[in-house]
Amino acid sequence: MSTSNPAPETDVAQRVLPPKPKAAAIVALSFTLLLYLVELVDVILPGDLVQGGIHSRVLSGLDGVLFAPLLHAGWSHLFANTVPVLVFSFLAMAAGIGRFALVTAIIWVVSGLGVWLIGPANGVTVGASGLAFGWLAYLLVRGIFNRAAGQILVAVVLLGVWSGMLAGLLPGNPGVSWQGHVFGALAGVLAAWLTSRRSRKVVPAATGNLEG
């Protein structure tokens, strides 16, 4: 009996769409529904969950790095993030849910710490837009690092559709955390670079086992 060799790591990294689209769609939808559930709880309960966001340069507010992407400043804020979160998270699962979890963790932590370091004083930063910018940046540059023409083509399409989001990287829009957007985007580039380095490592070819 012979066993087939697994797909090389480089082939996995160059995928354009998730290998299991239904599972990827469920993950993207589940995360988005979680955001809506949190917002609903915030509306129903007497407390203000938004205060659990990132309080810049306040040591006691550092734990907001963990919670800020789950919180939003009202339904309109959440509605604005919904489509980017759904689309970008789905496409970011092209190399599998495990790789997506790693990429998301990098973006989550780096964007949050960036906001904590240089965010506005006496303010609270919340929202999943840092994740959205991070996933978008990851999708825009992964094809370059992976040398994958299909991924570069997807990046061109995404840039054409969501080019207006890039204005969110610039300061000057009241109530918008450009710091979270910038650090989210930088984290997305970092995640693409780190994961591509792993994929470019030489993976020894597995030999088939023969049994009589």
Side-chain angles (χ1 to χ4, degrees):
M1 181 178 67
S2 63
T3 58
S4 59
N5 295 333
E9 179 80 9
T10 51
D11 291 344
V12 173
Q14 292 179 354
R15 287 177 180 149
V16 172
L17 296 174
K20 298 180 179 179
K22 289 185 179 179
I26 290 173
V27 172
L29 284 170
S30 297
F31 179 73
T32 305
L33 287 175
L34 175 62
L35 300 182
Y36 275 79
L37 178 60
V38 171
E39 183 61 25
L40 180 61
V41 170
D42 191 24
V43 170
I44 295 175
L45 294 181
D48 186 3
L49 295 183
V50 171
Q51 293 304 312
I54 302 172
H55 297 253
S56 301
R57 295 176 299 285
V58 177
L59 190 59
S60 61
L62 189 58
D63 58 352
V65 171
L66 298 177
F67 304 117
L70 304 175
L71 305 169
H72 287 82
W75 291 111
S76 60
H77 185 201
L78 178 54
F79 293 157
N81 285 333
T82 297
V83 173
V85 164
L86 280 171
V87 175
F88 301 158
S89 63
F90 175 81
L91 292 175
M93 284 182 257
I97 294 177
R99 178 70 61 85
F100 168 74
L102 175 60
V103 168
T104 300
I106 293 172
I107 296 170
W108 196 302
V109 173
V110 173
S111 62
L113 290 177
V115 170
W116 187 81
L117 286 172
I118 69 169
N122 303 319
V124 183
T125 301
V126 294
S129 56
L131 285 179
F133 271 86
W135 287 326
L136 177 59
Y138 168 78
L139 293 168
L140 291 178
V141 303
R142 63 174 179 170
I144 298 173
F145 291 127
N146 293 326
R147 303 182 181 91
Q151 292 180 351
I152 293 175
L153 178 60
V154 170
V156 172
V157 173
L158 289 174
L159 189 59
V161 174
W162 273 283
S163 58
M165 280 184 61
L166 300 182
L169 298 172
L170 302 175
N173 192 345
V176 175
S177 175
W178 63 268
Q179 297 93 338
H181 299 169
V182 168
F183 277 95
L186 291 175
V189 174
L190 174 64
W193 178 70
L194 290 175
T195 54
S196 68
R197 280 173 55 87
R198 175 184 173 185
S199 300
R200 286 199 300 268
K201 290 181 180 179
V202 177
V203 180
T207 57
N209 296 323
L210 301 177
E211 295 182 2

